[in-house]
């Protein structure tokens, strides 16, 4: 099984045309005509993740966030991105990123978040069409049973193992319909409200976005890393189904650069 077959499987599930204009998903570093020795799955590529791939005998890293987001003007040891590129090339490791194309794909990042929350009847609430491709930036679904806002937030903390949830005023009606956008999803708040959501769950939002929504929608911001941490499981399912026999490992490295003190 060659690396290009793993890449094709990922891109069939989340076609690159679904990515946002600013993004840089797809092949990042390395060769694809090489046989796969193993695949390490992660959210972010760090030097520790590359070291882990070497230790596990994996010559492919599949990440959610692109390592190379902006053009490189040189490849040296000037910053962590360049150091990782050099380290990966020296170790003959290929790096692939599936970012906003995976966010926007059916069955992608937001569907996985919804699955973890137990939502039903999940569908896009901000659909987009690219050629013949159908996708969307966020999903909405129904809880099995409506919950008090405080209980809903407690469920989020337990499900996503977060130390705190940034929220607006607690909703005084039950939460039943929930909109979801992993990562930085504040731009979808108004769409979530239009979709009739009682709660909007995302990873990041700007301070001023919290204003003027009291008793309109329960805002729940759980952290960028925390919201997307299960993306690795999507990669694993895709590769194991399309490329049987390829070893997949979920990284043991917590790459979240934010700590809570």
């Amino acid at each position: 099984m060659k690396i290009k077959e793993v890449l094709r499987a990922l891109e069939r599930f989340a076609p690159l045309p679904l990515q946002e204009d600013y993004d840089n998903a797809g092949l990042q570093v390395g060769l694809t005509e090489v046989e796969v020795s193993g695949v390490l799955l992660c959210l972010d590529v760090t030097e520790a993740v590359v070291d882990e791939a070497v230790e596990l005998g994996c010559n492919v890293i599949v990440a959610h966030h692109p390592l190379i987001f902006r053009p490189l003007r040189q490849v040296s040891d000037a910053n962590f991105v360049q150091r990782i590129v050099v380290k990966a090339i020296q170790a003959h490791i290929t790096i692939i990123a599936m970012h906003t194309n995976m966010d926007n794909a059916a069955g992608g990042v937001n569907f996985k978040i919804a699955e973890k929350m137990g939502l039903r009847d999940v569908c896009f609430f901000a659909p987009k069409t690219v050629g013949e491709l159908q996708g969307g930036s966020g999903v909405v679904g129904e809880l099995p049973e409506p919950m008090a806002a405080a209980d809903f937030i407690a469920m989020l903390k337990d499900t996503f193992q977060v130390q705190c949830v940034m929220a607006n005023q607690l909703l005084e009606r039950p939460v039943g319909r929930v909109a979801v956008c992993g990562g930085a999803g504040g731009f979808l708040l108004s769409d979530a409200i239009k979709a009739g959501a009682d709660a909007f769950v995302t990873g990041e939002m700007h301070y001023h976005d919290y204003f003027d929504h009291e008793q309109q929608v329960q805002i729940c911001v759980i952290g960028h890393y925390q919201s997307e941490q299960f993306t690795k499981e999507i990669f694993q399912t895709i590769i194991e189904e399309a490329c049987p026999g390829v070893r997949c490992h979920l990284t043991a490295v917590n790459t979240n650069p934010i700590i809570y003190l």
Side-chain angles (χ1 to χ4, degrees):
M1 187 76 67
K2 292 187 176 180
I3 292 174
K4 67 180 181 183
E5 295 176 72
V6 173
L7 179 60
R8 286 173 182 166
L10 291 164
E11 291 183 357
R12 278 196 302 271
F13 185 95
L16 292 181
L18 286 178
Q19 71 179 308
E20 303 295 337
D21 293 341
Y22 59 79
D23 203 6
N24 186 38
L27 179 65
Q28 302 268 292
V29 177
L31 306 176
T32 62
E33 289 289 346
V34 181
E35 187 174 339
V36 181
S37 64
V39 184
L40 182 60
L41 311 172
C42 60
L43 196 65
D44 312 282
V45 185
T46 65
E47 292 177 86
V49 169
V50 177
D51 290 337
E52 183 184 24
V54 172
E55 291 172 8
L56 292 170
C58 296
N59 63 350
V60 181
I61 295 173
V62 178
H64 181 44
H65 296 138
L67 171 65
I68 302 174
F69 202 77
R70 299 176 181 84
L72 296 178
R73 298 186 181 280
Q74 63 180 26
V75 179
S76 66
D77 61 352
N79 57 48
F80 82 99
V81 172
Q82 294 181 35
R83 289 194 299 272
I84 294 167
V85 170
V86 171
K87 184 185 282 279
I89 291 173
Q90 289 175 333
H92 304 288
I93 290 174
T94 296
I95 298 174
I96 297 166
M98 294 283 114
H99 191 211
T100 54
N101 55 319
M102 189 61 72
D103 291 330
N104 293 333
V109 175
N110 295 313
F111 285 85
K112 176 60 70 172
I113 298 170
E115 174 191 317
K116 294 294 181 179
M117 293 165 57
L119 298 185
R120 300 173 177 174
D121 302 321
V122 178
C123 62
F124 293 116
F125 69 84
K128 64 185 297 182
T129 302
V130 182
E132 297 181 354
L133 299 174
Q134 301 292 321
S137 298
V139 302
V140 64
E142 306 288 337
L143 288 168
E145 296 290 338
M147 304 172 68
D151 294 335
F152 177 72
I153 290 173
M155 179 272 288
L156 292 178
K157 292 175 71 173
D158 181 63
T159 301
F160 296 94
Q161 292 298 291
V162 297
Q163 294 162 286
C164 65
V165 173
M166 298 178 67
N168 61 344
Q169 183 186 83
L170 286 181
L171 203 65
E172 294 175 1
R173 68 175 188 273
V175 174
R177 187 167 174 82
V178 181
V180 177
C181 181
F187 69 101
L188 284 177
L189 178 59
S190 61
D191 292 292
I193 293 169
K194 290 176 185 175
D198 300 308
F200 177 58
V201 179
T202 189
E204 287 183 50
M205 266 181 48
H206 292 299
Y207 172 80
H208 293 285
D209 291 339
Y210 288 81
F211 283 99
D212 199 31
H213 297 297
E214 295 82 7
Q215 299 309 313
Q216 184 181 39
V217 65
Q218 184 67 67
I219 296 170
C220 301
V221 178
I222 63 175
H224 196 124
Y225 176 92
Q226 291 89 340
S227 71
E228 298 180 329
Q229 62 185 297
F230 301 114
T231 305
K232 303 184 293 288
E233 297 177 11
I234 306 173
F235 298 152
Q236 182 176 27
T237 299
I238 295 168
I239 295 170
E240 289 182 347
E241 290 182 357
C243 307
V246 171
R247 290 187 305 119
C248 288
H249 299 270
L250 303 179
T251 183
V253 178
N254 183 338
T255 62
N256 189 0
I258 301 170
I259 60 175
Y260 298 83
L261 301 175

